[in-house]
Amino acid sequence: MWYISTKQTNNSIKAKIKGDIMKKIKIMTVFGTRPEAIKMCPLVNELKSRTCFDTVVCVTGQHKEMLQQVLHAFKVVPDYDLALMKPEQTLFDITSAILSKIKDVLNKERPDLVLVHGDTTTAFASALACFYMQIPVGHVEAGLRTNDIYSPFPEEFNRQAISLVSKYNFSPTELAKENLIKEGKSENTIYITGNTGIDALRTTVKDGYTHSELEWAKGSRLILITAHRRENLGEPMRAMFRAIRRVIEEHDDIKAIYPIHLNPAVREIADEVLSGCDRIRIIEPPAVLDFHNFMKASYMILTDSGGIQEEAPALGKPVLVMRDTTERPEGVKAGTLKLVGTDEDVIYESFKELLESEESYKKMSEATNPYGDGYASVRIANILEENLVKKEKR
Ligand code: UD1
Ligand code: UDP
C-alpha cells in the first residue's frame, strides 16, 4: 500500500513539489518496560534518522519511573503512552489493559509494521492485538528459548507466542535463528542482527566515569546485585539474598551495590534479609548510563536479569545467574555466565569460589561478545528499508 504519511515533513513536501513523491512506510514501535526501552530506543533513533520511515512510538507504561528514565536517557518522546502501570499488577491486568487500550492507537495509526521486543507481556499482548487486526509484526530479539514454558515465567510463553505471529524475526545470534527454524519458522523471515542491547552499551560506558557510590566502594571488590523475576519472588529470592549476605559478611574486602527494582514485593524481601549489613548498599535504580558504568566497575555480578547476561560478557564481568534456566546459553558457552539456580547453598558456594579462586575468576572474566558489535539497529533498519521501502518501489 502506498500513501503519503499524515506526518508529512517539510522535506517530503519539497520532494513532492519536485515531482518525486515521497512515500513513507509507517513503523510503530511498542514497548513498556525498562529492558525493552533500553533495547528499542537505539532502534527508534535509527529509524527516526531515515526519511523513508514515519516512526511512531507507543509505550504501554507497563513500567513507569523505570521506563521514563530510559526514554529520558535516549531522548525518545513517545507519541502514545497507554500509562497502564499499577501497583501489584497481575498478568491479567497488563494483558487486558494493553488489548483494550492499544486497539484505538492501532486503528488510528494503521502502521505498515509494528515492532515489539523480546518477551514481556507488553510485547506479547501488543503482538496479539496486531494479529487480531492483521497488522504485520516484527520481533526484535527473536528466537531466545529455554523450552520450559514456566521458566522464565511468563516470558518463555510470551516469546514463543510472538514467534507464531511475527513476519520479521530479528535474531541476535545464530543459535536464536536455529531455535526458530526448529519450530518451523521460514528461514527467509529470520535475520541475524546482533542484540540492540549492545548498541545501547556502546554509547553508555565511559572512561573516567565517577559516581559517589563507586567512591564508597573504592578499595574494595565491588559486587553488583539485581533481582526481580516473578518466579523468584518469595522463598527463592529469600534464599538468594541469604546466600549473598553470608558471603559478604565472611569477606571484608568486598562491598555490594544493589540497585533495587521498584516492585514492592522485591523490596519487602530485600529489606527482610539484607538490611543492616553496612557493606551492602541498596540504592534506587540508577539510570542506564550509570548502571552500565557500575557494571564496568564491578568485580562480578549476581543477577536473575536477562539483559545483564548479554551486557556482562561484552564487559568481561563474571555473572552468577540466579535462575534455573537461561535463554542466553551463548554467554555460558563463552564462560562469562554460570547458572547457579536459587538454592542457598549452591549460590553461597559458587559466589565464595569466585571470590577465593583466582583461577575460577580468571576463567570467567575474559571479555567476549556473543551478542553483536553494537550495530544491530542499523542492520534492522537496513533490512526494513530493503523489504518495505525498496520492494515497494520496484
Ligand atoms: C517486567 C517483565 C519482565 C522483565 C521486567 C524488567 C512481564 C510479565 N514482566 O517484570 O519480563 O524482565 O519487567 O524489569 O512482562 N514498578 C514501579 N515502577 C516502575 C516499574 C515497576 O513501581 O517503573 C512496580 C509496580 O508496583 C509494578 C511492579 O513493579 O506493579 C511489577 O512490575 P511488572 O512490570 O508487572 O513486573 P516486572 O517484575 O517489572
Ligand atoms: N538496568 C538499569 N538500571 C538498573 C538495573 C538494570 O539500567 O538499576 C539495565 C541493565 O543494564 C539492562 C536492563 O536494565 O540493560 C535489564 O533490565 P531488567 O533486569 O529489569 O530486565 P530483564 O533484562 O531481566 O528483562
Side-chain angles (χ1 to χ4, degrees):
M1 182 186 56
W2 287 106
Y3 60 90
I4 307 288
S5 160
T6 49
K7 291 184 179 170
Q8 213 167 28
T9 62
N10 285 341
N11 281 349
S12 71
I13 293 165
K14 277 183 207 153
K16 192 177 167 191
I17 292 166
K18 276 192 209 156
D20 173 17
I21 297 176
M22 180 99 170
K23 291 152 185 165
K24 292 197 172 202
I25 295 295
K26 189 181 280 190
I27 299 193
M28 182 186 285
T29 54
V30 183
F31 52 94
T33 65
R34 171 174 64 193
E36 291 169 275
I38 291 171
K39 293 166 171 182
M40 285 296 257
C41 283
L43 178 56
V44 167
N45 287 332
E46 181 61 36
L47 294 172
K48 276 181 186 283
S49 74
R50 302 189 183 205
T51 51
C52 56
F53 297 127
D54 179 13
T55 307
V56 180
V57 178
C58 173
V59 296
T60 63
Q62 179 178 335
H63 283 176
K64 195 174 171 185
E65 302 85 348
M66 286 160 54
L67 174 69
Q68 289 307 326
Q69 273 185 324
V70 184
L71 293 171
H72 178 75
F74 288 94
K75 300 187 175 57
V76 169
V77 181
D79 299 288
Y80 298 92
D81 183 354
L82 308 184
L84 64 84
M85 197 198 84
K86 58 181 191 182
E88 290 170 44
Q89 59 199 8
T90 65
L91 299 174
F92 291 91
D93 295 329
I94 306 167
T95 307
S96 55
I98 292 172
L99 283 178
S100 64
K101 289 184 175 189
I102 207 167
K103 186 172 160 232
D104 291 345
V105 176
L106 292 172
N107 253 330
K108 182 165 173 245
E109 293 288 343
R110 282 276 155 194
D112 295 300
L113 180 74
V114 168
L115 291 174
V116 299
H117 178 277
D119 54 22
T120 66
T121 295
T122 280
F124 160 65
S126 306
L128 181 61
C130 290
F131 173 66
Y132 288 162
M133 296 176 73
Q134 301 197 20
I135 294 171
V137 172
H139 189 196
V140 181
E141 201 181 273
L144 277 64
R145 294 289 184 269
T146 64
N147 293 311
D148 175 350
I149 207 82
Y150 289 104
S151 177
F153 176 84
E155 290 85 358
E156 177 69 10
F157 165 81
N158 288 343
R159 55 170 90 106
Q160 290 197 24
I162 296 167
S163 295
L164 286 174
V165 304
S166 59
K167 182 170 177 187
Y168 296 96
N169 298 286
F170 302 108
S171 290
T173 64
E174 181 65 44
L175 188 69
K177 177 179 173 177
E178 282 166 21
N179 289 337
L180 291 172
I181 289 174
K182 270 189 220 148
E183 287 173 11
K185 229 39 213 180
S186 162
E187 193 166 355
N188 62 12
T189 68
I190 311 168
Y191 304 87
I192 299 175
T193 59
N195 197 303
T196 54
I198 305 298
D199 299 17
L201 194 65
R202 193 168 56 79
T203 64
T204 50
V205 174
K206 310 263 182 240
D207 285 337
Y209 172 89
T210 57
H211 191 285
S212 55
E213 297 298 342
L214 298 186
E215 288 302 311
W216 167 75
K218 222 174 192 164
S220 301
R221 290 186 286 179
L222 172 64
I223 313 300
L224 195 58
I225 303 164
T226 82
H228 73 82
R229 295 241 86 79
R230 251 185 169 77
E231 69 272 18
N232 285 344
L233 294 174
E235 189 44 35
M237 200 170 278
R238 242 175 239 114
M240 280 156 50
F241 292 160
R242 278 196 304 267
I244 291 171
R245 182 170 188 145
R246 277 167 62 197
V247 175
I248 292 177
E249 285 179 341
E250 287 171 15
H251 295 79
D252 55 17
D253 68 325
I254 64 176
K255 282 185 175 170
I257 296 178
Y258 173 12
I260 195 165
H261 194 287
L262 289 178
N263 188 344
V266 174
R267 290 175 171 234
E268 205 175 296
I269 302 167
D271 188 47
E272 177 194 319
V273 184
L274 294 175
S275 63
C277 177
D278 62 7
R279 277 184 291 108
I280 304 177
R281 270 206 182 166
I282 300 180
I283 63 168
E284 291 306 316
V288 57
L289 185 138
D290 297 307
F291 188 80
H292 284 173
N293 284 286
F294 285 11
M295 284 179 76
K296 169 101 186 303
S298 70
Y299 186 74
M300 58 173 282
I301 300 163
L302 290 115
T303 191
D304 64 6
S305 161
I308 292 170
Q309 294 179 56
E310 291 149 357
E311 296 159 348
L315 297 170
K317 300 298 169 181
V319 181
L320 297 182
V321 182
M322 300 181 291
R323 294 171 44 178
D324 296 325
T325 58
T326 183
E327 58 293 278
R328 275 110 177 156
E330 299 90 345
V332 177
K333 198 168 163 222
T336 328
L337 312 180
K338 186 174 174 194
L339 208 55
V340 294
T342 56
D343 179 86
E344 179 177 342
D345 289 333
V346 176
I347 297 173
Y348 171 84
E349 290 300 339
S350 309
F351 187 7
K352 208 165 122 69
E353 190 197 341
L354 214 46
L355 288 171
E356 294 174 4
S357 158
E358 233 175 82
E359 201 192 327
S360 302
Y361 183 80
K362 205 163 168 281
K363 259 197 221 156
M364 286 185 73
S365 55
E366 296 289 324
T368 59
N369 208 336
Y371 299 106
D373 56 2
Y375 292 91
S377 303
V378 173
R379 280 188 198 96
I380 295 170
N382 287 346
I383 293 159
L384 293 177
E385 213 172 293
E386 184 61 33
N387 281 276
L388 294 168
V389 183
K390 293 189 180 153
K391 266 192 191 155
E392 288 272 341
K393 280 188 181 159
R394 278 176 207 143

